[in-house]
Amino acid sequence: MAQKSVLIIEDEITQSTLLEGIVTRAGYVPYVAHTGAEALDFMNTPQGEAVDIVLLDLVMPGMDGLEVLQKLRPRWPDLPVIMLTAHSSINTVVDAMRAGANDFIVKPASAERIRTAISAGLETASLVGEIEPMQKGLSIAGFENLVGDSQAMQQAVGLARKAATASIPVLIDGESGVGKEVFARAVHAASDRSGKPFVAVNCGAIPENLVESILFGHEKGAFTGATEKRIGKFEEASGGTLFLDEVGELPADVQVKLLRALQEREIDPVGGKTSVHVDIRVISATNRNLADCVADGSFREDLFYRLNVYPINLPPLRARREDIPALVDHFLKLIPEMEGLPKRDISHSALSALVGYHWPGNIRQLQNALFRAVILSDHDRLEAHDFPHLNGRQIQYTGMEQPGPIELTLHQPGGFSTGENGQSALISLVSDGGHVRRLAEIEREVIRRTINHYGGKMSEVARRLGIGRSTLYRKLDEYDLKR
């Protein structure tokens, strides 16, 4: 597998050398630019086109980091960008996030913090990276431009059409990448608010200490670094629709204020002395089971009922494989138009491979797979080998049938291929219902089998699992496992 590449944009030689060393030791290929103009020129080269993630200094002479980011985003909308700066005021962070930064690191930062940010950015881009122009292309004509004739898709569209006729809150649930924002935009476009703003907020992507300010705004001087007044997303959306993506990620204190905003139709900016009236229609979305979050206390029950007035479930792509050929055809028309490239066809074998793939990242991942194949391919017809990044990432299937459980093989030297009592040593990642099992369930099973494999020797079990004995004993109690 090819090494991932990191573009470091940093004007200070000492800092760029330090970052280059961290990136290299982490196993990535570093490229360095010392000015914004140099970085933009590099991005227009073949090496630049293949850059996987950017570390971008905010304060640089000439073109600063925000200007560089604003020039990068139109052409590379899904390229992860991590901002670096020694200036950590609230306005600086807000400006960076609004400009499209994926993460924000205050210098000096540890090597571990930088490695973690790079890893998280690459993981997000690989599975759920958005190609924003493509999403907008999907939603311009509302429901008429949604792709898919499967029964599951048509059922969801039917519910969404009815939702568009009223201003009741809608909760769209489904896995990451299934098109929740596309549906939200379609509902907005078909409603009587279609000529008004549609404002989307990814609640899971906002730093926790900035959520309240970004949603409700703040007054000048409300806190350290608040050098000017800023309106929040609620005010931006007034008269139109506010889309709260990943609403289950909101902190508890913000949930209280969101509930009040929905009930009273007014907000309280941070540091403000008076409430501000807002007229919005709220559509929220989540990839978590909010009912379970209510049960475990991480989400307010009263807010859940306020948001869940009209639920719509979007099925994962693997549950509507019959729609994949139509989606492929749609994207193969859209992508060349976006990039000014010749149109591409696709072979039957390549299409069969795409139809048979499990698509953990759903439609977004399919978009990105086709986008990369079209950009990198030198021929008019895409073949199966044009999708090498799918190999080894998930089990591939060659037919239209539903996949069986994805399994984790417990392979040990010496032929350990069966579990205790001669049972299979395969641990299923997917439940009988076709959904990925909870991490806690898998962890419980791994611990239980490891204890059996090492004959109950807890010191050895802890060492092999890479955790402390106190952590192991805590997990035994948590999972009700016998010592």
Side-chain angles (χ1 to χ4, degrees):
M1 182 181 295
Q3 285 182 291
K4 298 290 186 180
S5 59
V6 181
L7 173 60
I8 301 166
I9 310 174
E10 168 63 69
D11 63 303
E12 295 183 9
I13 301 297
T14 302
Q15 285 292 327
S16 64
T17 303
L18 178 64
L19 291 171
E20 188 175 2
I22 292 172
V23 166
T24 301
R25 287 191 294 273
Y28 306 115
V29 177
Y31 298 105
V32 179
H34 295 294
T35 67
E38 182 184 342
L40 294 174
D41 287 342
F42 175 78
M43 288 298 293
N44 287 311
T45 67
Q47 287 179 317
E49 290 284 354
V51 163
D52 295 290
I53 192 166
V54 174
L55 294 178
L56 173 59
D57 186 28
L58 179 61
V59 180
M60 296 185 293
M63 188 184 302
D64 67 18
L66 288 180
E67 292 178 271
V68 174
L69 182 56
Q70 289 165 359
K71 292 181 181 296
L72 285 175
R73 276 291 169 249
R75 183 168 178 182
W76 294 278
D78 60 333
L79 177 66
V81 176
I82 301 169
M83 279 286 196
L84 302 165
T85 184
H87 306 277
S88 57
S89 73
I90 189 76
N91 286 335
T92 302
V93 178
V94 170
D95 287 340
M97 290 300 181
R98 283 178 170 169
N102 298 76
D103 201 350
F104 194 94
I105 297 178
V106 178
K107 298 187 293 186
S110 68
E112 179 61 27
R113 170 70 176 97
I114 294 169
R115 287 194 298 267
T116 300
I118 293 174
S119 177
L122 291 172
E123 182 178 355
T124 299
S126 66
L127 285 181
V128 296
E130 282 189 64
I131 301 176
E132 185 67 20
M134 298 170 73
Q135 290 212 338
K136 290 180 179 178
L138 277 172
S139 58
I140 289 174
F143 294 112
E144 293 75 18
N145 214 24
L146 295 178
V147 180
D149 294 320
S150 64
Q151 182 178 352
M153 179 67 169
Q154 291 308 308
Q155 181 178 358
V157 170
L159 289 171
R161 285 184 182 277
K162 292 179 180 178
T165 63
S167 290
I168 58 175
V170 173
L171 177 63
I172 305 174
D173 75 278
E175 296 178 6
S176 293
V178 294
K180 296 187 285 290
E181 183 174 340
V182 171
F183 263 72
R185 288 182 182 274
V187 171
H188 171 75
S191 72
D192 56 6
R193 295 174 179 261
S194 59
K196 301 296 177 62
F198 177 92
V199 177
V201 184
N202 187 331
C203 301
I206 308 174
E208 188 170 331
N209 62 324
L210 298 179
V211 175
E212 185 178 355
S213 173
I214 288 177
L215 288 180
F216 307 121
H218 66 255
E219 296 292 332
K220 180 179 179 180
F223 43 79
T224 303
T227 58
E228 59 183 327
K229 176 180 178 179
R230 289 185 181 273
I231 67 169
K233 297 298 184 180
F234 269 79
E235 282 191 80
E236 285 184 31
S238 191
T241 300
L242 178 65
F243 176 60
L244 299 175
D245 197 8
E246 306 307 345
V247 70
E249 304 298 327
L250 286 175
D253 58 333
V254 178
Q255 292 179 30
V256 175
K257 295 176 180 179
L258 174 58
L259 178 63
R260 180 183 181 278
L262 297 177
Q263 291 175 333
E264 306 298 333
R265 291 185 173 273
E266 60 182 28
I267 59 171
D268 296 312
V270 178
K273 297 180 180 179
T274 58
S275 299
V276 178
H277 176 76
V278 290
D279 171 25
I280 59 170
R281 193 261 179 87
V282 172
I283 301 177
S284 51
T286 180
N287 62 3
R288 302 172 62 182
N289 187 320
L290 287 189
D292 288 346
C293 294
V294 170
D296 65 27
S298 62
F299 200 82
R300 292 181 62 94
E301 185 175 16
D302 46 6
L303 178 58
F304 171 65
Y305 289 125
R306 173 67 63 172
L307 296 175
N308 195 40
V309 176
Y310 194 96
I312 299 176
N313 175 261
L314 297 187
L317 188 56
R318 62 183 173 275
R320 55 184 188 101
R321 294 175 183 274
E322 59 267 43
D323 289 335
I324 291 178
L327 287 165
V328 170
D329 181 67
H330 175 75
F331 291 133
L332 288 183
K333 292 177 181 176
L334 182 62
I335 295 169
E337 292 176 4
M338 289 170 50
E339 297 298 315
L341 296 170
K343 289 188 176 181
R344 301 281 195 260
D345 195 1
I346 188 166
S347 70
H348 178 74
S349 60
L351 182 59
S352 295
L354 295 181
V355 170
Y357 188 64
H358 193 57
W359 297 112
N362 293 295
I363 297 175
R364 284 188 192 145
Q365 190 186 9
L366 174 62
Q367 290 178 190
N368 287 344
L370 290 165
F371 188 88
R372 176 175 291 188
V374 169
I375 295 295
L376 298 181
S377 175
D378 294 325
H379 39 270
D380 294 335
R381 172 165 291 190
L382 300 179
E383 301 291 346
H385 61 76
D386 289 309
F387 303 92
H389 53 294
L390 300 184
N391 295 333
R393 289 280 302 281
Q394 280 285 342
I395 297 173
Q396 293 192 13
Y397 303 90
T398 56
M400 295 291 290
E401 71 277 2
Q402 290 291 331
I406 304 171
E407 295 175 321
L408 305 175
T409 304
L410 297 181
H411 176 72
Q412 294 285 343
F416 173 51
S417 61
T418 58
E420 63 274 12
N421 301 322
Q423 297 177 5
S424 170
L426 296 177
I427 296 177
S428 177
L429 182 62
V430 176
S431 68
D432 292 340
H435 296 289
V436 173
R437 297 169 62 195
R438 288 175 174 271
L439 186 59
E441 294 177 7
I442 297 173
E443 184 178 58
R444 183 185 190 279
E445 190 169 349
V446 169
I447 292 174
R448 181 180 63 82
R449 292 194 180 204
T450 306
I451 290 172
N452 288 335
H453 182 61
Y454 290 104
K457 298 176 182 176
M458 293 304 180
S459 295
E460 183 71 4
V461 170
R463 188 170 71 85
R464 294 294 179 178
L465 292 176
I467 59 177
R469 289 189 62 178
S470 60
T471 300
L472 175 60
Y473 287 131
R474 178 176 57 78
K475 290 183 178 292
L476 293 180
D477 293 336
E478 179 182 345
Y479 297 140
D480 194 26
L481 291 169
K482 295 180 179 180
R483 299 188 182 184

